[in-house]
């Protein structure tokens, strides 16, 4: 691999996104220190202090575009930053986390450079000095291995799949100012509103508790939320309950919702329609709780309990709370 | 207002996926095609924009013969005209090539806005709308759940991780739709009848000036192989009353799976 990997590190409100550091960690694994270059690029306003956190993943250098014009996200302004970094470093690959911002930015910038882009990459395979990208298709019902025949290629890496490797201490990576003026900005973020009710983001959560028809009604979400709170989990939902208006679409897991790969997925009262299974079957451990012993979800579960969600979940919450307090 | 809608025919989300013998694509034998679910929100938004601002709406679909039915369906829902973009060299295109073909079909149409689904179901790339915006040299907003268009500018609310962003920008622009943007209407009987009589315009690579320039042969992202995910190991049902089963589960999650 010549010229190494450039990684776009996403920050919002002065917080570096963990999934960006996962992408940076993977870049460092694919381009080992001393052999290949890994350069991080970050944009925002008053963000110089974030370089310390980014340094823990040991990029060779950090390019910082810090000015008032980058305080709020704009595809065109950030694409100007990323383009300037690419022209300066001439990398073989450009990585970012597969987030709303990562996809929006890398797709636009890839087209600017007439270069290909692979989104939601699950695995990278070294291949004669190049990288092959493995990505899910049909929401995970199958997978595709892709090769790039261009000198530059872009990829967004799925959160929670690539291990974060941060050094506890060590040297600060050298920082370079990236002086960019975005002259053509025709659309930009004016304001941001936090979504209601979701304390942990679904696609980045390491534990997900999801509810389906078996929770009997929207008045029972607190039963699942209590379990979420004990586990630090995000709350997910089946399409059936989203379509019934029990919960916002932002919680939907599966085809036409989010595809997730947490360490632990607890399916509560979800029967396991093919579209739902597609979105969560790459979870490491799946627990199914359903009163119908014949529900398809049990065929995919690591552990199953046949029983009423509204009886089992409160007991489970209590038992886990005891474990936490010990 | 001139509105373009990009739609795609995709395998029904109920489809049980099997691979073709060469493992370069899925086996399409017996597969039923539908309009990609997110594209339905783009179609509906186009109809709503036309109702409010007047103008005309055109659907574009890049694909093989399966595109005809989804274009007829779009016409039946009320779009004014339909363009089928089809060429033997356009099979299994990568996202960038798809965007190039769509840009060539749309660029000279004098459109004020292009609406797309934010993700094509199946290939799941979520890249084409942004690439199309860049190639047209227009601004963009993706994963949009609320859209207002007024006097040459737009205000779009888009879904991001744990929040919504309000994007403001100028037209023309590319907007990609997320579920929640609207409630797609069903085609009326009258609409279905009218759609049958409408002509679907055909455009191939030569008509778009792309022959020998854009196509599967020129694409720089190629599929090497498709695989099925590994089967999950056989799980186990934990027996016993609620209390016993829950205690056993917590024990397993802790000591065997080591996830709590």
């Amino acid at each position: 691999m010549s010229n190494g990997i450039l990684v776009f590190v996403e920050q919002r409100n002065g917080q570096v996104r963990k999934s960006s550091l996962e992408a940076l960690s993977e870049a460092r694994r694919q381009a080992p220190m001393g052999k290949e270059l890994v350069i991080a690029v970050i944009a925002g306003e008053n963000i110089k202090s974030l370089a310390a956190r980014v340094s823990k993943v040991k990029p060779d250098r950090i390019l910082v575009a810090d000015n008032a014009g980058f305080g709020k996200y704009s595809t065109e302004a950030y694409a100007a930053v990323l383009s300037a970094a690419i022209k300066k470093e001439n990398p073989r690959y450009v990585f970012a986390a597969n987030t709303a911002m990562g996809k929006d930015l890398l797709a636009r910038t890839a087209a600017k450079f007439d270069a290909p882009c692979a989104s939601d990459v699950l695995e990278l395979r070294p291949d004669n000095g190049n990288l092959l990208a493995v990505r899910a298709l049909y929401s995970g019902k199958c997978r595709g291995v892709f090769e790039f025949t261009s000198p530059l290629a872009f990829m967004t890496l799925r959160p929670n799949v690539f291990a974060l490797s941060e050094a506890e201490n060590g040297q600060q990576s050298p920082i370079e100012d990236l002086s960019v003026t975005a002259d053509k900005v025709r659309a930009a973020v004016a304001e941001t509103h936090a979504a209601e009710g979701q304390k942990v983001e679904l696609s980045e959560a390491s534990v997900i508790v999801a509810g389906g028809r078996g929770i009997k009604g929207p008045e029972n979400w607190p039963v699942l939320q209590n379990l979420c709170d004990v586990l630090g989990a995000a709350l997910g939902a089946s399409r059936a309950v989203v379509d019934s208006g029990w919960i916002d679409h932002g919680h939907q897991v599966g085809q036409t919702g989010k595809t997730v790969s947490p360490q632990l997925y607890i399916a509560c009262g979800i029967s396991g329609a093919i579209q739902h299974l597609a979105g969560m079957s790459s979870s490491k451990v799946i627990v199914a709780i359903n009163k119908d012993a014949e529900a398809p979800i049990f065929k995919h579960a690591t552990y199953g309990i046949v029983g009423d969600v509204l009886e089992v979940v409160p007991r489970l919450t209590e038992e886990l709370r005891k474990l936490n307090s010990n | 207002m001139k509105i373009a809608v990009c739609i795609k025919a995709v395998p029904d989300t109920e489809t049980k996926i099997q691979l073709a013998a060469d493992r370069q694509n899925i086996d399409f034998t017996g597969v039923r095609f539908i309009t990609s679910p997110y594209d339905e929100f783009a179609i509906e938004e186009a109809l709503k924009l036309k109702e409010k601002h007047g103008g005309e709406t055109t659907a574009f679909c890049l694909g093989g013969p399966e595109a005809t039915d989804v274009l007829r369906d779009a016409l039946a829902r009320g779009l004014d005209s339909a363009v089928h973009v089809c060429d033997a060299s356009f099979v299994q295109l990568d996202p960038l090539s798809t965007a190039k073909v769509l840009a060539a079909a749309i660029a000279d149409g004098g459109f004020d806005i292009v609406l797309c689904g934010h993700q094509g179901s199946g290939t799941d790339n979520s890249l084409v709308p942004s690439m199309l915006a860049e190639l047209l040299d227009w601004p963009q907003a993706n994963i949009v759940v609320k859209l207002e268009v007024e006097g040459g500018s737009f205000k779009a609310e888009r879904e991001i991780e744990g929040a919504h962003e309000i994007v403001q920008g100028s037209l023309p622009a590319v907007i990609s739709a997320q579920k929640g943007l609207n409630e797609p209407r069903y085609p009326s009987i009258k609409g279905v009848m009218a759609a049958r009589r409408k002509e679907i315009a055909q455009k191939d690579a030569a008509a778009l000036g792309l022959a020998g320039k854009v196509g599967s042969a020129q694409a720089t992202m190629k599929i090497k192989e498709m695989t099925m995910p590994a089967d999950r190991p056989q799980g186990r049902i934990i027996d016993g009353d609620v209390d016993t089963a829950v205690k056993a589960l917590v024990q397993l999650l802790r000591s065997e799976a080591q996830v709590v």
Side-chain angles (χ1 to χ4, degrees), chain A residues 7-303:
Chain A
V7 182
F8 172 76
V9 175
E10 176 178 339
Q11 64 83 27
R12 282 185 192 273
N13 306 319
Q15 295 287 317
V16 173
R17 194 168 278 289
K18 181 170 158 262
S19 47
S20 293
L21 298 178
E22 293 168 3
L24 187 60
S25 302
E26 180 63 15
R28 191 74 277 179
R29 280 189 289 273
Q30 296 294 345
M33 182 79 92
K35 288 188 178 168
E36 304 272 0
L37 287 181
V38 171
I39 312 289
V41 55
I42 185 163
E45 186 181 7
N46 298 325
I47 50 158
K48 293 223 164 59
S49 62
L50 302 182
R53 175 89 201 269
V54 179
S55 287
K56 289 185 172 180
V57 190
K58 303 215 167 292
D60 292 278
R61 268 177 291 132
I62 305 173
L63 309 181
V64 181
D66 190 334
N67 93 39
F70 306 133
K72 284 187 176 129
Y73 179 66
S74 150
T75 315
E76 290 161 292
Y78 275 47
V81 171
L82 188 55
S83 298
I86 293 167
K87 282 179 187 148
K88 182 172 178 297
E89 303 294 342
N90 193 27
R92 173 73 180 92
Y93 298 104
V94 178
F95 288 5
N98 189 63
T99 58
M101 188 193 290
K103 282 181 285 189
D104 189 86
L105 175 63
L106 262 63
R108 178 114 195 175
T109 313
K112 211 181 269 294
F113 283 85
D114 195 25
C117 184
S119 61
D120 202 16
V121 172
L122 295 172
E123 185 192 333
L124 294 169
R125 289 190 193 155
D127 177 57
N128 290 324
N130 297 311
L131 291 176
L132 300 177
V134 182
R135 53 186 309 276
L137 297 165
Y138 297 91
S139 304
K141 289 178 190 168
C142 62
R143 289 181 172 193
V145 182
F146 292 87
E147 64 178 334
F148 306 98
T149 56
S150 52
L152 171 67
F154 292 69
M155 294 183 222
T156 60
L157 277 55
R158 183 184 289 186
N160 249 340
V161 170
F162 298 92
L164 175 64
S165 42
E166 285 181 302
E168 275 310 311
N169 46 39
Q171 286 186 335
Q172 165 87 46
S173 306
I175 297 173
E176 280 178 40
D177 278 319
L178 192 62
S179 171
V180 183
T181 21
D183 48 6
K184 195 158 75 174
V185 176
R186 294 158 299 181
V189 171
E191 48 192 299
T192 306
H193 306 293
E196 288 166 23
Q198 187 72 299
K199 293 173 194 165
V200 185
E201 165 56 24
L202 207 50
S203 56
E204 297 181 321
S206 54
V207 182
I208 292 173
V209 174
R213 287 234 177 256
I215 70 160
K216 298 192 178 91
E219 66 279 8
N220 291 321
W221 286 119
V223 175
L224 266 56
Q225 188 60 56
N226 288 341
L227 180 55
C228 287
D229 291 345
V230 171
L231 289 166
L235 182 63
S238 71
R239 177 175 150 182
V241 297
V242 170
D243 285 353
S244 301
W246 293 6
I247 196 165
D248 181 77
H249 170 252
H251 295 268
Q252 186 179 323
V253 173
Q255 220 159 355
T256 72
K258 293 200 170 81
T259 304
V260 297
S261 312
Q263 294 290 302
L264 174 60
Y265 188 94
I266 305 181
C268 306
I270 292 175
S271 61
I274 186 166
Q275 296 96 335
H276 190 80
L277 294 171
M280 46 63 82
S281 55
S282 63
S283 307
K284 186 174 169 234
V285 173
I286 297 170
V287 172
I289 302 165
N290 201 302
K291 67 174 196 281
D292 174 11
E294 301 299 318
I297 190 81
F298 285 119
K299 290 199 180 68
H300 299 262
T302 324
Y303 308 115

Side-chain angles (χ1 to χ4, degrees), chain A residues 12 108 138 281 303 315, chain B residues 122 125 138 165 232 243 256:
Chain A
R12 282 185 192 273
R108 178 114 195 175
Y138 297 91
S281 55
Y303 308 115
R315 277 293 295 124
Chain B
N125 291 303
W138 294 1
E165 271 181 348
R232 295 187 70 90
D243 204 52
E256 188 179 84

